[in-house]
């Protein structure tokens, strides 16, 4: 990892600033042509490997995801109060928009006119969001992993750890959740955990005896996970030198933080490819839809890809619940916390935690980057 950093002298900050920098493949930045920076040869190679696609299929998927990302706000506006959620359907290569059965024919036509596929559902997104908000107020036991609005299922999905479904506290929670609105219960193999790690040599940054990964460069510093350090905590780089200090941090409830940079360190709008793919420029932070492909790279597990599974999910860590998270099928391991998820050249968020590993698979959540920027009044460093 040090050799990687030294090889990319001009990217020194990103390594410091982006240990878990994830480079991804999402619609917001995907392009119709493989010559576009968002569709670099490295990204296309990763999609071919991780999604079992041909090169042409990977290029087509990136282009379709970009179109879906661009039209999602317009389609939502067209649906109005009948909007039931939206997601990218990889099979169709198209954005799907749910509308309630009360939608007028004119409304359905308006949504279809945007280029989206329309599905009729019973519950509006507003009703599902309200149900999730009521569930957020409940005290969740350890056997409940997380919960989120699933537009395709048209329900709030509550994930319960395998082997804990019969637990009395879990059953009480599920009963109360069902009283809040439409709920579907699913089983997951393990409880979520954060991905910080004890100090290990050759890693991106350290605070106290914890190793974490840097997310994205912002003007004046970088963003990362809140569970990696508290306000005032000193941060050391991969070489042991002082980088800066935590200026803001929130965990649980949220899982984000930002660190000011000084002492000769600087920021650059780049995400490290770790030699698996080419290093990527960050050009913005357009949000990818549910169902879209996404990748991340990290100092511990390097480059892995997957899909966006859910948004606005509440994750029930042992330290407390964290809200407004995005769930992905990408794996991660200890030391990956704080690193970046990216879609093409569009920043998506910083790694928080998950379950599983990169040998057997798993799921990982990230805190959306735009929420962090807005919370602290930061500006993403872009190319």
């Amino acid at each position: 990892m040090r050799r990687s950093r030294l090889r990319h002298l001009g990217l020194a900050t990103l390594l410091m600033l982006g240990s878990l920098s994830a480079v991804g493949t999402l619609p917001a930045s995907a392009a119709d042509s493989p010559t576009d920076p968002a569709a670099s040869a490295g990204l296309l190679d990763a999609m071919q490997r991780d999604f079992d696609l041909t090169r042409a299929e990977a290029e087509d998927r990136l282009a379709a995801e970009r179109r879906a990302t661009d039209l999602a706000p317009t389609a939502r506006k067209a649906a109005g109060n009948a909007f039931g959620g939206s997601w990218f359907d990889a099979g169709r290569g198209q954005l799907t928009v749910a509308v309630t059965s009360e939608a007028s024919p004119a409304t359905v036509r308006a949504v279809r006119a945007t280029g989206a596929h329309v599905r009729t559902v019973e519950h509006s997104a507003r009703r599902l969001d309200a149900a999730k908000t009521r569930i957020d107020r409940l005290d969740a036991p350890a056997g409940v992993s997380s919960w989120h609005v699933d537009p395709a299922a048209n329900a709030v999905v509550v994930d319960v750890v395998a082997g804990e479904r019969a637990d009395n506290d879990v059953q009480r929670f599920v009963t109360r959740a069902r009283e809040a609105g439409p709920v579907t219960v699913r089983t997951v193999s393990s409880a979520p955990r954060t991905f910080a790690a004890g100090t290990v040599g050759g890693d991106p940054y350290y605070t106290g005896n914890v190793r974490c990964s840097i997310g994205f460069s912002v003007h004046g510093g970088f963003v990362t996970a809140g569970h990696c350090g508290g306000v005032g905590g000193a941060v050391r780089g991969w070489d042991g030198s002082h980088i800066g200090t935590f200026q803001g941090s929130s965990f649980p409830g949220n899982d984000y933080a930002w660190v000011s940079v000084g002492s000769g360190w600087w920021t650059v709008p780049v995400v490290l490819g770790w030699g698996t793919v080419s290093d990527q420029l960050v050009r913005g932070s357009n949000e990818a839809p549910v169902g879209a492909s996404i990748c991340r790279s990290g100092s511990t597990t390097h480059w892995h890809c997957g899909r966006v599974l859910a948004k606005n999910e509440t994750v029930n860590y042992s330290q407390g619940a964290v809200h407004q998270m995005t769930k992905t099928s990408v794996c991660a391991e200890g030391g990956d916390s704080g690193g970046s998820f990216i879609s093409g050249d569009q920043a998506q968020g910083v790694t928080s935690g998950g379950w599983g590993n990169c040998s057997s698979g798993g799921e990982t959540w990230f805190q959306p980057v735009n929420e962090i920027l807005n919370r602290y009044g930061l500006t993403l460093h872009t190319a």
Side-chain angles (χ1 to χ4, degrees):
M1 289 177 284
R2 280 192 193 188
R3 288 196 298 273
S4 230
R5 296 167 190 275
L6 293 173
R7 271 201 314 271
H8 302 278
L9 182 59
L11 309 183
T13 329
L14 210 104
L15 308 185
M16 321 166 191
L17 282 185
S19 143
L20 202 210
S21 317
V23 179
T25 69
L26 245 73
S29 46
D32 294 346
S33 167
T35 60
D36 187 289
S40 70
L43 280 173
L44 292 169
D45 288 346
M47 292 188 72
Q48 289 174 250
R49 181 196 67 214
D50 291 344
F51 296 136
D52 193 25
L53 302 174
T54 66
R55 188 178 185 84
E57 288 170 340
E59 292 173 1
D60 289 345
R61 176 157 175 166
L62 282 172
E65 289 178 350
R66 181 177 183 178
R67 289 192 295 271
T69 297
D70 290 344
L71 71 82
T74 303
R76 176 168 188 158
K77 184 176 181 180
N81 292 334
F83 181 69
S86 64
W87 62 95
F88 176 74
D89 186 327
R92 291 177 174 273
Q94 188 179 18
L95 183 75
T96 295
V97 176
V99 297
T100 61
S101 55
E102 288 79 15
S104 69
T107 296
V108 174
R109 286 196 298 270
V111 175
R112 285 187 176 136
T114 67
H117 174 69
V118 176
R119 179 189 292 182
T120 302
V121 296
E122 180 179 358
H123 310 295
S124 68
R126 181 178 299 177
R127 181 182 178 190
L128 296 177
D129 288 342
K132 180 185 175 294
T133 297
R134 288 190 286 271
I135 296 172
D136 282 344
R137 300 190 186 108
L138 303 179
D139 185 16
V144 176
S145 171
S146 62
W147 53 96
H148 69 276
V149 171
D150 184 339
N154 198 226
V156 179
V157 174
V158 176
D159 287 332
V160 175
V161 178
E164 298 291 333
R165 192 159 182 169
D167 178 80
N168 289 336
D169 290 338
V170 170
Q171 289 185 335
R172 278 192 290 271
F173 179 89
V174 170
T175 297
R176 295 189 64 189
R178 293 189 191 281
E179 293 170 355
V183 163
T184 295
V185 178
R186 296 177 183 168
T187 300
V188 296
S189 62
S190 304
R193 68 186 190 283
T194 56
F195 284 130
T199 299
V200 178
D203 293 304
Y205 85 84
Y206 307 93
T207 174
N209 65 345
V210 170
R211 170 173 62 87
C212 280
S213 298
I214 297 163
F216 294 98
S217 294
V218 296
H219 290 288
F222 65 83
V223 293
T224 186
H227 71 263
C228 291
V231 174
V235 174
R236 291 171 286 123
W238 63 274
D239 61 353
S241 66
H242 179 74
I243 295 179
T245 306
F246 278 90
Q247 298 297 318
S249 181
S250 178
F251 179 79
N254 306 293
D255 194 6
Y256 50 60
W258 85 278
V259 174
S260 60
V261 167
S263 304
W265 291 71
W266 65 96
T267 66
V268 290
V270 179
V271 166
L272 187 64
W274 295 102
T276 301
V277 299
S278 57
D279 298 338
Q280 303 291 305
L281 292 174
V282 177
R283 299 183 184 275
S285 57
N286 292 333
E287 186 179 333
V290 170
S293 56
I294 191 169
C295 296
R296 68 159 193 78
S297 68
S299 59
T300 299
T301 55
H302 295 184
W303 188 276
H304 290 275
C305 296
R307 293 183 302 111
V308 178
L309 299 178
K311 296 185 180 183
N312 191 24
E313 181 154 21
T314 299
V315 182
N316 189 35
Y317 293 128
S318 61
Q319 300 95 327
V322 176
H323 307 287
Q324 296 178 315
M325 302 276 271
T326 297
K327 179 164 66 176
T328 74
S329 63
V330 186
C331 66
E333 295 180 11
D336 285 339
S337 279
S340 25
F341 270 87
I342 194 170
S343 159
D345 56 10
Q346 301 294 304
Q348 298 297 307
V350 301
T351 302
S352 173
W355 60 268
N357 56 53
C358 290
S359 296
S360 59
E363 295 176 339
T364 302
W365 287 270
F366 67 79
Q367 187 93 63
V369 69
N370 288 331
E371 180 184 357
I372 308 171
L373 300 177
N374 292 334
R375 169 62 180 84
Y376 295 119
L378 301 170
T379 301
L380 188 68
H381 192 167
T382 57

